[in-house]
């Protein structure tokens, strides 16, 4: 709509009502009325557009999707009740029994559960591939491969996938590429520009950015969003108007928030690189990070997540977390407040030890979602916790 990201994020909103409001109002209604019997028939026949029922659409969710389609440079989209409902609905809306998925091995723990334990009940199988072994990806494809699924950066190891390369492979193999863009937001990375067919977010994270609501979004090409929307309309993982309104308002500050998240995260990563208490630091914009060259090509900045391996394994990691004075210990991320978690014992605990090690989740790995507090205070908190966990 506008030339610049920030203006779209602020100025795209619902049509002003007769009340002449400046800010989009909340449409807290379960249903909508029809002009007459013919209007009702035409709406349900999808001959005209309009609102019927909030499980299908609502002005607040429509505003959110219109805004995100503009920001992600996608054609269409839907909003869902959570990030995991976005993951499941986007996949389940596109597959049928007998189909096959190729997935990066480094994915969120609950997404792994869907692929490994839920989809097989419906005759859908998955082959995992290592991000750092692209030469093996083509071998993973089968005649019935329908979807390729990736996160980049991955959670929590921050591995980077070359979007342009994997999109070209999917085009060659006639597979649909789904990209989880949660860690970046559309301000930092737009997978559709590199060939992704579907882009998903846990809007709970950076799109909200203040730890208030649970939500998900699915964006992409119309030909793929159409069957996904059919699945969502008939199974009901719809986003509430209230949560859609909150996230849409949050998008107005997304650019300035992501700039500060990235600035603080870079400085924390540089500090941790110099610490004798740390074995490894992962951050996409560190020059010696394995994904640095690709990250610089497809990301505007490094994002707000830093992962590091503390010396001393699980016990030292627990002592580090217990030594923190004001960081929040929570599984959430993307908050204005710095949050910390130990993936081995929390978000990825359902994976086997071998599965965790394969994707770089070492026993001493700690994931930090770097907040918007002053960087000097953030570094001081990490420094004292490192010292008090020995």
């Amino acid at each position: 709509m506008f030339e610049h990201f920030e203006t779209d994020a602020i100025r795209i909103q619902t049509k002003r009502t007769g009340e002449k409001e400046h800010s989009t109002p909340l449409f807290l209604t379960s249903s909508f009325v029809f002009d007459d019997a013919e209007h009702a028939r035409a709406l349900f026949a999808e001959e005209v557009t309009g609102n019927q029922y909030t499980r299908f659409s609502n002005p607040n969710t429509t505003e959110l999707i219109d805004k995100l389609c503009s920001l992600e440079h996608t054609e269409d989209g839907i909003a869902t009740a959570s990030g995991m409902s976005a993951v499941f609905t986007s996949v389940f809306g596109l597959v049928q029994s007998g189909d096959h998925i190729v997935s990066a091995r480094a994915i969120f723990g609950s997404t792994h559960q869907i692929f490994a334990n839920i989809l097989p009940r419906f005759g859908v199988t998955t082959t995992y591939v290592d991000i750092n072994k692209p030469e093996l990806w083509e071998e993973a494809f089968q005649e019935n491969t329908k979807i390729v699924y990736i996160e980049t950066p991955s959670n929590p190891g921050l591995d980077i996938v070359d979007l342009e390369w994997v999109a070209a492979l999917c085009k060659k193999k006639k597979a649909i590429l789904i990209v989880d863009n949660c860690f970046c937001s559309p301000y930092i990375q737009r997978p559709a520009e590199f060939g992704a067919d579907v882009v998903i977010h846990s809007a709970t994270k950076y799109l909200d950015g203040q730890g208030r609501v649970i939500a998900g979004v699915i964006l992409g090409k119309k030909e793929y969003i159409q069957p996904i929307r059919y699945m969502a309309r008939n199974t009901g993982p719809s986003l509430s108007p209230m949560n859609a309104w909150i996230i849409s308002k949050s998008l107005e500050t997304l650019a300035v928030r992501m700039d500060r998240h990235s600035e603080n995260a870079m400085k924390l990563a540089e500090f941790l690189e110099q610490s004798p208490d740390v074995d490894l630091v992962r951050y996409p914009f560190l020059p010696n990070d394995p994904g640095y060259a690709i990250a610089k090509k497809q990301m505007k900045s490094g994002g707000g997540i830093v992962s590091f391996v503390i010396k001393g394994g699980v016990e030292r990691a627990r002592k580090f977390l217990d030594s923190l004075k004001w960081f929040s210990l929570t599984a959430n991320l993307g908050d204005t407040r710095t949050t910390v978690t130990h993936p081995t014992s929390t978000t990825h605990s359902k994976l086997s030890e071998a599965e965790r090690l394969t994707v770089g989740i070492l026993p001493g790995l700690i994931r930090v979602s770097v907040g918007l507090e002053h960087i000097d205070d953030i570094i001081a908190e990490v420094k004292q916790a490192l010292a008090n966990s020995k």
Side-chain angles (χ1 to χ4, degrees):
M1 184 176 178
F2 292 96
E3 183 178 352
H4 297 288
F5 182 99
E6 294 87 341
T7 311
D8 274 352
I10 293 169
R11 285 292 175 175
I12 292 176
Q13 62 183 65
T14 58
K15 184 179 180 181
R16 189 169 293 156
T17 74
E19 299 300 327
K20 304 298 182 183
E21 71 280 348
H22 183 237
S23 181
T24 297
L26 276 163
F27 291 86
L28 298 181
T29 179
S30 58
S31 61
F32 302 84
V33 297
F34 313 120
D35 296 339
D36 50 36
E38 172 57 24
H39 180 224
R41 184 206 65 78
L43 277 171
F44 276 84
E46 300 183 15
E47 295 173 1
V48 297
T49 59
N51 296 306
Q52 308 163 30
Y53 193 60
T54 286
R55 175 159 58 87
F56 300 164
S57 66
N58 177 284
N60 293 124
T61 53
T62 297
E63 175 186 288
L64 175 63
I65 290 302
D66 286 348
K67 189 177 289 189
L68 283 168
C69 282
S70 178
L71 300 182
E72 278 281 13
H73 296 182
T74 55
E75 296 174 353
D76 199 1
I78 65 168
T80 64
S82 69
M84 286 314 304
S85 66
V87 174
F88 182 75
T89 307
S90 65
V91 173
F92 207 66
L94 294 171
V95 296
Q96 58 185 359
S97 182
D99 283 343
H100 174 253
I101 296 169
V102 172
S103 172
R105 196 180 303 277
I107 54 174
F108 182 54
S110 292
T111 307
H112 171 75
Q113 294 301 316
I114 290 174
F115 290 162
N117 299 317
I118 296 176
L119 288 178
R121 301 179 193 173
F122 303 94
V124 179
T125 58
T126 299
T127 298
Y128 287 108
V129 288
D130 293 333
I131 287 175
N132 59 355
K133 296 179 180 178
E135 69 278 5
L136 301 180
W137 281 47
E138 192 159 355
E139 297 177 12
F141 281 79
Q142 301 174 9
E143 289 185 1
N144 58 337
T145 299
K146 185 70 172 290
I147 287 173
V148 172
Y149 184 96
I150 63 172
E151 297 174 6
T152 184
S154 67
N155 181 10
L158 300 179
D159 290 316
I160 304 295
V161 180
D162 189 328
L163 288 168
E164 190 174 25
W165 174 82
V166 75
L169 179 60
C170 289
K171 185 176 181 180
K172 175 183 175 182
K173 296 291 187 176
K174 295 181 173 56
I176 302 167
L177 175 58
I178 300 179
V179 179
D180 184 334
N181 197 32
C182 173
F183 270 27
C184 282
S185 86
Y187 180 67
I188 289 179
Q189 177 176 267
R190 288 185 284 273
E193 293 185 344
F194 295 91
D197 299 302
V198 176
V199 180
I200 61 176
H201 289 270
S202 171
T204 311
K205 311 305 191 294
Y206 288 111
L207 300 190
D208 172 30
Q210 294 167 71
R212 299 168 296 185
V213 302
I214 299 292
V217 292
I218 307 169
L219 310 162
K221 297 177 179 177
K222 284 184 180 293
E223 63 182 294
Y224 301 124
I225 296 300
Q226 183 176 358
I228 293 170
R229 179 180 286 110
Y230 172 84
M231 179 64 65
R233 283 178 60 142
N234 289 287
T235 56
S238 51
L239 181 63
S240 72
M242 181 72 184
N243 286 355
W245 182 86
I246 289 172
I247 296 167
S248 186
K249 297 301 291 183
S250 294
L251 290 175
E252 296 181 10
T253 62
L254 180 62
V256 291
R257 286 188 284 110
M258 295 311 298
D259 281 340
R260 176 58 69 85
H261 281 301
S262 297
E263 178 185 344
N264 280 355
M266 183 70 182
K267 290 177 180 177
L268 177 62
E270 291 171 339
F271 164 77
L272 289 167
E273 268 197 318
Q274 304 303 315
S275 173
D277 296 302
V278 173
D279 280 332
L280 174 69
V281 182
R282 293 300 309 271
Y283 184 68
F285 267 38
L286 284 176
N288 62 353
D289 189 271
Y292 175 74
I294 299 171
K296 291 288 284 188
K297 178 180 72 170
Q298 63 194 34
M299 295 167 62
K300 179 183 177 70
S301 60
I305 307 296
V306 176
S307 291
F308 70 97
V309 178
I310 193 169
K311 291 182 177 177
V314 170
E315 289 307 313
R316 178 80 185 278
R318 289 174 176 167
K319 289 180 181 178
F320 174 86
L321 266 61
D322 289 341
S323 297
L324 293 167
K325 296 179 178 179
W326 56 268
F327 280 5
S328 302
L329 301 186
T330 175
N332 196 27
L333 60 92
D335 201 304
T336 54
R337 295 157 290 190
T338 297
T339 66
V340 185
T341 192
H342 179 235
T344 293
S345 59
T346 57
T347 57
H348 290 72
S349 59
K350 297 298 187 295
L351 275 66
S352 68
E353 182 178 5
E355 288 171 333
R356 288 194 296 268
L357 292 176
T358 300
V359 295
I361 304 176
L362 301 175
L365 183 75
I366 294 170
R367 187 192 72 192
V368 184
S369 174
V370 185
L372 305 184
E373 305 95 346
H374 195 284
I375 186 58
D376 291 350
D377 294 326
I378 292 172
I379 290 177
E381 169 78 329
V382 172
K383 186 182 294 185
Q384 68 82 21
L386 287 172
N388 290 325
S389 61
K390 292 182 180 179

